[in-house]
Amino acid sequence: MTETPFKQAFFHSLPICLGYLCLGSAFALLMLQSGFQWYWAVLMSIVIYAGSMQFALVSLLATQTPLWFIALMTVVINGRHLFYGIRFVELFKKMGWKYPYMIFSLTDETFSVLLGVKLTDEHQDIAFYIALFNHIYWISGTILGCILGNTLPIDMKGVEFSMTALFIVIVIEQWKQSISKLPFLIGGVTGLAMIHLFGTKYFLIYSLCCIIFLLVLFYDKKQGENMV
């Protein structure tokens, strides 16, 4: 018996489920620790849904960082999604009303799962449900974190490293699957160079700008699927 796209997507998304429940909870705990009400955390997970940027926003908002700098950081940090979209833009265009949501919901983890599924035009529903399930996991994790943070005495020391840990796992998996290692080398060397030049406080924005420029410069249309 052939499995439905809904069921196939659910099983494909399960590896992300536990990670997003933990990370969403960690994000909510950080929000509560920084003095924000629980509903702000849930609202951000619904309408922003930007993973690492949400973690960055906690400290930026808590220190009353100017909005223009927050906007710039958001564009630069999420600039990597430009390359994700290149890989799936043609498929997403054929999905009708789902197209905007697929753009919105294309996180690092969703991108990684979609690559592993090796989607074709016949798998549009699977792609949509994978993205939807992952979004639900993230929101559910945030709600869980809000509940735990308001009911249990939790030591949140080190919880901000959870997102970094997930990215390390994703990078390792992508390294194994990718033929071209150039994007990894560009990211690693650029990050080390920028942290040496500008220090830990400002290196991120300079690193991301340089990485985006170099990836565009060295992007090979014929081997684009292997580059991103």
Side-chain angles (χ1 to χ4, degrees):
M1 182 177 179
T2 304
E3 293 182 339
T4 63
F6 185 89
K7 189 173 182 179
Q8 291 182 60
F10 174 71
F11 285 114
H12 283 304
S13 69
L14 276 181
I16 305 300
C17 179
L18 185 58
Y20 268 18
L21 289 177
C22 294
L23 289 171
S25 297
F27 164 69
L29 291 172
L30 282 179
M31 286 286 287
L32 296 176
Q33 184 184 45
S34 300
F36 295 97
Q37 294 296 322
W38 67 268
Y39 49 80
W40 286 114
V42 176
L43 182 63
M44 287 173 65
S45 289
I46 294 173
V47 302
I48 297 179
Y49 185 41
S52 56
M53 188 59 214
Q54 286 184 224
F55 277 79
L57 272 175
V58 177
S59 59
L60 292 174
L61 294 174
T63 55
Q64 298 183 346
T65 303
L67 290 178
W68 69 266
F69 187 79
I70 293 177
L72 178 61
M73 282 289 291
T74 302
V75 171
V76 174
I77 289 178
N78 289 332
R80 65 188 185 280
H81 290 209
L82 169 67
F83 302 95
Y84 297 169
I86 291 174
R87 175 63 178 82
F88 291 112
V89 65
E90 294 302 323
L91 175 65
F92 290 172
K93 282 181 177 180
K94 300 173 183 177
M95 296 178 67
W97 61 270
K98 301 171 186 174
Y99 180 35
Y101 181 76
M102 295 304 297
I103 296 174
F104 164 75
S105 60
L106 190 60
T107 62
D108 303 275
E109 296 76 21
T110 299
F111 173 75
S112 181
V113 173
L114 294 181
L115 276 184
V117 176
K118 300 185 183 301
L119 298 169
T120 64
D121 291 349
E122 290 74 29
H123 298 129
Q124 294 179 14
D125 288 339
I126 296 177
F128 173 72
Y129 287 128
I130 287 174
L132 181 62
F133 277 130
N134 288 345
H135 194 183
I136 292 173
Y137 299 149
W138 184 264
I139 296 170
S140 300
T142 304
I143 295 173
L144 177 62
C146 291
I147 294 173
L148 293 176
N150 283 317
T151 57
L152 299 176
I154 299 176
D155 183 2
M156 291 177 279
K157 183 178 180 180
V159 72
E160 65 277 3
F161 185 74
S162 55
M163 179 60 74
T164 303
L166 180 61
F167 271 113
I168 292 173
V169 174
I170 291 173
V171 168
I172 293 173
E173 289 301 314
Q174 288 301 307
W175 174 275
K176 293 178 180 178
Q177 295 181 21
S178 299
I179 296 176
S180 172
K181 310 302 182 184
L182 183 60
F184 302 94
L185 298 176
I186 289 175
V189 173
T190 302
L192 291 174
M194 293 301 118
I195 200 170
H196 177 73
L197 291 173
F198 300 103
T200 57
K201 187 174 182 179
Y202 297 108
F203 90 98
L204 182 59
I205 191 166
Y206 292 111
S207 296
L208 291 172
C209 288
C210 289
I211 289 170
I212 291 172
F213 172 77
L214 291 173
L215 287 176
V216 171
L217 182 65
F218 290 105
Y219 179 72
D220 186 343
K221 292 183 178 180
K222 295 182 179 179
Q223 299 182 358
E225 294 184 6
N226 298 323
M227 281 286 294
V228 296

